[in-house]
Amino acid sequence: MIQFLIIVLLLMAILLAGLPVAFGLGSTAVVLALAQEHISINFLSITVLESLNSFTLLAVPLFVLMSQVLLAGKVGDNLFDTINAWVRHLPGGLGVATVLSCAVFAAITGSGAATAATIGMVAYPAMTSRGYDRQFTLGLLASGGTLGILIPPSIPMILYSSITNTSLDKLFMAGVVPGILLTVLLAAYAVWRSKNGGFIPVPKATWEERRTLTVRNIPGLFLPVIIIGGIYGGIFTPTEAAAVGLVYSLFVTLCVYRTLSLRQLPRICLDGMATSCMISMIVIGAHLFGKIMTLMQIPQELTQVVVENNFSPLLFILAMNAVLLVLGSILETVSVVLLTTPLVLPIMESLGIDPIWYGVVLTMNMTIALITPPVGMDLYVIKSLRGDISLGDVIRGVAPCALLMVLFLCVIIAFPPISTFLPSLMPSRGV
């Protein structure tokens, strides 16, 4: 146990020194490996190759590229306009439209940052021009963006599945009900905050306007149906769904909406490759670190400590949630998932914890991490929407939403069937 604490302190010192997470994990792993007589350099090189040799991980660059295509093709703008036409006349209607748009776009891309940026660019001016409180608007946009990693497809879930060999299609389905419930919770908060007025009401859309917008945007709205419906119906695996979704998104933006040109594709591919390479480097560093930890018997020692002290599954989960919330405030989500999962997997197995349920608990923690300072990615995405937006305003606006999300995390922990019911109805098809 002392050895583990020393390793953690070493890693934290390296990360606090400013070294990128991927290189911090990788360099720590190399230093530890060189200190072990039975670990060779050849082993390290083989481990690097093994870390990316996964059919599951193939879905990551495909979903990343798809989100870049949809972002450049302004599908989010059309999506917001359509949903807004149906709910804008309600109390807090623009806020409800923002949350629902985030949920639908999340079901397309699997990226929290892409969801926050895409919907934020169109929803922020729409809400502030109608007199909605600025901090409330910023907080709602940042919180709505977090739905991008809870509602499937989800990049953190893909990474978790690749480490645990958990059925990715079941893991995706486990996020559907929590994602919907969190969407309803945030929409209800928007209505509650707006019930006393303070904003300029938007006229109710005519049925002709609703019909026109809906029909025009059916191709974009159909994308989550293809992805989620195809996975649940057993038509294709999540990795295949990513490929189908990418081809379909190119077809919609290039041929149907015509909001994307062939000249933009090289830049889109470069942006997608940059994000995918960043994730891949973190995967390599975390895989090296986890492998060395296993060879040093660290996970086994942690498991023994848990068993000897008669930790209950609930006590372990509560402790892990505290750890995840702290780590999520200082590391980005991909790093937290890849760093903690190999260490806790043996403990989960010894305590009989359902890996599907824990995957949703872990992902819910990461949604909170996206809006937790100082590293919360969505905070900075929303801040970058306009030059006059301060990080302090975003943080103050997001605080009530973060509290609601922590309470919702407690509900998921207290009632596991919220996450496990839907996956129990489907057979596993792998990745």
Side-chain angles (χ1 to χ4, degrees), residues 106 110-113 115-116 139-157 175 178-183 185-186 321 324-325 327-329 331-334 336-337 358-373 375-379 398 401-410 412:
S111 169
T115 299
L140 194 65
L141 286 170
S143 304
T146 67
L147 295 170
I149 65 169
L150 181 60
I151 297 176
S154 163
I155 290 176
M157 285 184 177
I180 293 173
L181 292 178
L182 182 57
T183 300
L185 182 63
L186 291 176
N321 274 275
L324 291 170
L325 289 173
L327 288 177
S329 67
L331 296 174
E332 48 86 35
T333 57
V334 171
V336 177
V337 172
Y358 179 81
V360 175
V361 172
L362 172 63
T363 305
M364 187 61 213
N365 272 278
M366 294 304 95
T367 65
I368 299 172
L370 285 174
I371 54 174
T372 304
V375 179
M377 178 66 71
D378 280 14
L379 300 177
V398 88
C401 297
L403 178 60
L404 286 176
M405 292 167 72
V406 171
L407 294 175
F408 183 66
L409 172 61
C410 295
I412 291 178

Side-chain angles (χ1 to χ4, degrees), residues 218-223 226 243-253:
I218 280 178
L221 294 170
F222 194 61
L223 187 51
I226 293 176
V244 172
L246 174 57
V247 173
Y248 183 78
S249 64
L250 285 169
F251 170 75
V252 168
T253 53

Side-chain angles (χ1 to χ4, degrees), residues 117-162:
T118 303
I119 304 303
M121 284 187 292
V122 60
Y124 178 77
M127 291 185 68
T128 53
S129 66
R130 284 282 171 174
Y132 281 83
D133 180 77
R134 192 163 180 263
Q135 291 184 4
F136 161 67
T137 301
L138 295 172
L140 194 65
L141 286 170
S143 304
T146 67
L147 295 170
I149 65 169
L150 181 60
I151 297 176
S154 163
I155 290 176
M157 285 184 177
I158 295 172
L159 299 174
Y160 175 82
S161 172
S162 71

